Amino acid sequence: MTNRHAQQTPSNETATSDTPVRIVSAYLAVQAFGTLAWWVLLFAIPSSIDWFQPKVWPDGALLSFWMADFVLIIAGSLLAAICVWRRASSAATLVWVVAAVTWYPTLVCIATSLQTGEAWIASAMMVCMAGLSLAMATIHGNTSQSPATIRVASMSPAVATALTLGQTVIFWGTFLWVLPMGIVELQLRLGWQVFQHPLQSPLSGGLFLVASSLGLWSGITMAIRGDGTPLPTVTAPRLVIAGPYRYVRNPMALAGIVQGIAVGWFLGSLSVIAYALCGAVVWHVFVRPVEERDLQLRFGADYHRYQKHVRLWIPTVPFS
């Protein structure tokens, strides 16, 4: 059995190393051509500009950003995609440059939306691009790392907690604020009204606080007990079955879905509630199998025992 495993390892390692390269290069290519298609839409149908800029801006003011996007985002993403695919020595630097570049217009869009209360669709689009670009950069890693969708990183509990809290701010701001606001703005433009009922704000706010407490408890427990963060590319080297992980295997995912539902309830948007539920499906179908496969490989029988006694979504009696 040992020899057979040894013979399979090289091909498995090759497949494992190729997959992140394909993910990063494919995403960057999609980002380049998707941004190009968006600009074609703006120039071909000028009325579409109103969907992406505040009413107080002069007509067509958004078009003044075309050169920056064409040079920095479209050309930059395409060049980075080619270098990643060819495994060029400059690939890591280019991917991080593209990730950094996307955050400048993203912050401008968010600031504009905060100032005017409009253009949340544009802010949602940009925060998706910036977030995914940053995710691709972390997957590709730096010049001393190989691309990997999951990368173990051991660190002190203090550093892990600080990084976890920083990740939490970014994730909550993106998925529980900017994206829902963009969805609601799109919903209203399509003529779909929001709903209202008595005690809507306190009830939804209470649910959000409960779910947020669970999310924070889960993240801090992972940092302190696991010596790492919940982020896959900086994941904990130790199996964590303490705190909320004694009751449910993925408390952070459960907390995030409930938070999304609470936000949709607060905003009176069935679309945002559907967005949260779709997030649960996407996580369950695409993310969960990858994470569980990694945990099975790293922790073997310990994880199998944990998996057998603690359910995925529905809390159970404490595991010991």
Side-chain angles (χ1 to χ4, degrees):
M1 181 177 292
T2 302
N3 292 336
R4 184 162 59 248
H5 176 75
Q7 292 171 358
Q8 292 174 350
T9 299
S11 61
N12 290 339
E13 289 180 350
T14 301
T16 302
S17 62
D18 284 346
T19 299
V21 168
R22 288 197 295 267
I23 291 173
V24 175
S25 57
Y27 169 76
L28 290 170
V30 169
Q31 179 168 281
F33 289 109
T35 305
L36 177 61
W38 182 69
W39 277 105
V40 169
L41 170 67
L42 297 183
F43 281 110
I45 309 176
S47 61
S48 65
I49 297 173
D50 294 337
W51 285 59
F52 305 104
Q53 71 173 38
K55 295 177 182 177
V56 296
W57 280 18
D59 292 342
L62 185 62
L63 298 179
S64 61
F65 292 93
W66 74 268
M67 185 176 291
D69 272 13
F70 270 71
V71 173
L72 299 176
I73 294 181
I74 297 175
S77 297
L78 194 56
L79 178 61
I82 294 171
C83 289
V84 169
W85 182 256
R86 299 180 64 179
R87 300 179 184 269
S89 58
S90 59
T93 300
L94 285 171
V95 173
W96 279 103
V97 167
V98 169
V101 162
T102 59
W103 274 100
Y104 180 81
T106 298
L107 294 176
V108 170
C109 285
I110 293 174
T112 300
S113 294
L114 287 173
Q115 184 178 11
T116 64
E118 300 178 272
W120 285 107
I121 296 174
S123 293
M125 291 173 57
M126 285 306 305
V127 82
C128 284
M129 178 187 292
L132 287 170
S133 295
L134 182 59
M136 295 304 109
T138 60
I139 289 173
H140 194 275
N142 56 44
T143 53
S144 65
Q145 294 174 325
S146 298
T149 51
I150 297 179
R151 187 179 296 113
V152 177
S154 180
M155 59 192 71
S156 69
V159 172
T161 300
L163 289 176
T164 297
L165 293 176
Q167 295 165 18
T168 299
V169 171
I170 294 174
F171 276 82
W172 287 11
T174 299
F175 293 105
L176 301 176
W177 174 37
V178 179
L179 290 183
M181 291 296 291
I183 291 171
V184 171
E185 185 175 271
L186 177 61
Q187 172 183 324
L188 294 175
R189 280 188 169 273
L190 294 173
W192 303 346
Q193 298 304 311
V194 298
F195 65 83
Q196 293 182 328
H197 64 77
L199 300 178
Q200 182 173 341
S201 295
L203 289 175
S204 59
L207 180 62
F208 183 83
L209 286 175
V210 171
S212 299
S213 298
L214 174 61
L216 284 173
W217 184 23
S218 305
I220 293 173
T221 300
M222 177 68 71
I224 294 175
R225 295 297 188 95
D227 296 337
T229 80
L231 193 68
T233 49
V234 200
T235 194
R238 299 169 59 188
L239 178 63
V240 177
I241 56 175
Y245 295 92
R246 296 178 62 203
Y247 304 93
V248 63
R249 292 210 308 270
N250 291 277
M252 291 196 74
L254 178 61
I257 300 307
V258 176
Q259 282 177 306
I261 293 172
V263 169
W265 187 7
F266 179 82
L267 296 174
S269 172
L270 292 175
S271 300
V272 173
I273 294 175
Y275 146 81
L277 295 175
C278 287
V281 174
V282 169
W283 186 91
H284 186 82
V285 174
F286 297 103
V287 179
R288 177 192 58 81
V290 176
E291 288 191 350
E292 290 186 347
R293 192 179 307 119
D294 171 70
L295 292 170
Q296 289 166 359
L297 288 173
R298 287 196 288 136
F299 301 113
D302 288 339
Y303 181 72
H304 282 293
R305 179 169 172 264
Y306 173 64
Q307 194 176 31
K308 180 180 178 181
H309 288 87
V310 179
R311 289 193 287 263
L312 180 64
W313 290 107
I314 303 174
T316 186
V317 294
F319 174 74
S320 58

